[in-house]
Amino acid sequence: MLEIYQSETYAENNPGWHEEDAPWKAKQIAQIINKNAITFDTLCEVGCGTGDILLNLERSFGFSKGYGYEVSPHAYRRAKTKETDRTKFHLESVFDTAAAPFDVMLVIDVIEHVEDYLGFAKQLRPLAKYKIFHIPLDLSVQSLFRERPIMNLRKGVGHLHYFFKESALATLRDCGYNIIDHAYTAGRLELPNQATSSKLMKIPRRAMFALNQDLTVRILGGYSLLVLAE
């Protein structure tokens, strides 16, 4: 699937590169960092897109250097125009950089796109002390029953792998990570520009989530998993 990012295909399907989601994602990341009292001086993002998550975090934390790595020339060109004194963007694989190891590495909505996601996750582990993953939980009772949501994700945004909470955590543990903390994030409830079906599901998702988080996510979907790991 790498070619859809190196060509214009992904940009044509997603012209905004999800920039409108960046403040919300940065907020989730900041919360898990602050909750676990993580201090850091260097921050890296793998698959940084147009850079807005890093730039939002720059406004919240006093790190000295931020590094964004992106393989899409289209996204990189947009990110490059936003560089600051502290945050720089690079059109290269993080595995080719000489700047590692980092204090904190962000892997936000990435592993589901990578063909060899197990090998990818294993290679990332030594590149930073702390890793923060955001993994869509695409597998739920309703998504399997309806079929279309998963197939739309595959066609529209290039998801190749589909997770539920336990399989996502098992994947990271199997790749040698120590899980420090994890939390659900409610993208379908809180992000802008949601489909009509997601808007209709807000009330039942909120009501059920207040009673039983795991059961709600497993049945109704609409959530992702944020994981802090070493």
Side-chain angles (χ1 to χ4, degrees):
M1 295 294 286
L2 185 62
E3 61 270 16
I4 76 169
Y5 308 106
Q6 293 179 328
S7 69
E8 297 295 307
T9 303
Y10 190 87
E12 290 170 359
N13 291 337
N14 304 275
W17 283 91
H18 313 292
E19 288 177 336
E20 69 278 9
D21 299 346
W24 178 85
K25 290 182 179 180
K27 179 181 177 181
Q28 313 309 308
I29 295 163
Q31 286 176 345
I32 202 167
I33 289 174
N34 290 329
K35 177 185 174 185
N36 291 276
I38 301 298
T39 59
F40 60 98
D41 194 47
T42 57
L43 178 65
C44 160
E45 184 178 8
V46 179
C48 66
T50 60
D52 289 83
I53 293 177
L54 276 175
L55 295 172
N56 274 272
L57 290 169
E58 183 184 293
R59 292 190 278 272
S60 300
F61 294 98
F63 59 84
S64 65
K65 291 184 178 180
Y67 302 83
Y69 294 93
E70 179 54 55
V71 298
S72 166
H74 186 278
Y76 166 74
R77 288 193 297 269
R78 290 175 62 159
K80 195 69 175 174
T81 65
K82 307 173 189 178
E83 282 189 339
T84 69
D85 290 340
R86 287 195 286 157
T87 300
K88 306 296 182 183
F89 300 102
H90 307 272
L91 182 61
E92 65 176 324
S93 166
V94 70
F95 302 121
D96 297 329
T97 183
F102 308 98
D103 295 328
V104 175
M105 174 182 288
L106 308 178
V107 190
I108 308 302
D109 301 308
V110 170
I111 68 168
E112 66 275 12
H113 298 270
V114 179
E115 186 172 340
D116 178 15
Y117 71 101
L118 293 172
F120 178 75
K122 289 177 182 178
Q123 281 186 278
L124 288 177
R125 193 165 60 84
L127 299 185
K129 181 177 182 181
Y130 298 106
K131 279 71 64 170
I132 298 176
F133 292 86
H134 193 246
I135 304 172
L137 301 178
D138 294 329
L139 290 181
S140 67
V141 172
Q142 72 89 15
S143 69
L144 291 174
F145 181 76
R146 293 172 57 206
E147 182 183 305
R148 183 180 295 179
I150 286 180
M151 297 312 298
N152 285 347
L153 288 169
R154 190 178 189 91
K155 182 179 179 181
V157 293
H159 288 197
L160 297 177
H161 311 286
Y162 312 96
F163 298 93
F164 55 97
K165 174 187 172 183
E166 289 75 13
S167 69
L169 293 175
T171 291
L172 296 178
R173 292 190 179 107
D174 289 346
C175 291
Y177 290 87
N178 173 47
I179 307 299
I180 300 172
D181 194 10
H182 59 81
Y184 289 123
T185 64
R188 288 290 182 268
L189 282 73
E190 299 171 2
L191 283 172
N193 304 322
Q194 293 300 308
T196 300
S197 58
S198 293
K199 293 176 181 178
L200 293 173
M201 290 296 293
K202 278 187 177 182
I203 292 176
R205 279 177 173 144
R206 287 188 190 279
M208 286 187 62
F209 194 79
L211 298 174
N212 189 314
Q213 295 185 6
D214 288 339
L215 185 62
T216 302
V217 175
R218 195 172 300 128
I219 294 176
L220 298 182
Y223 292 79
S224 294
L225 192 67
L226 190 69
V227 184
L228 172 64
E230 287 184 305

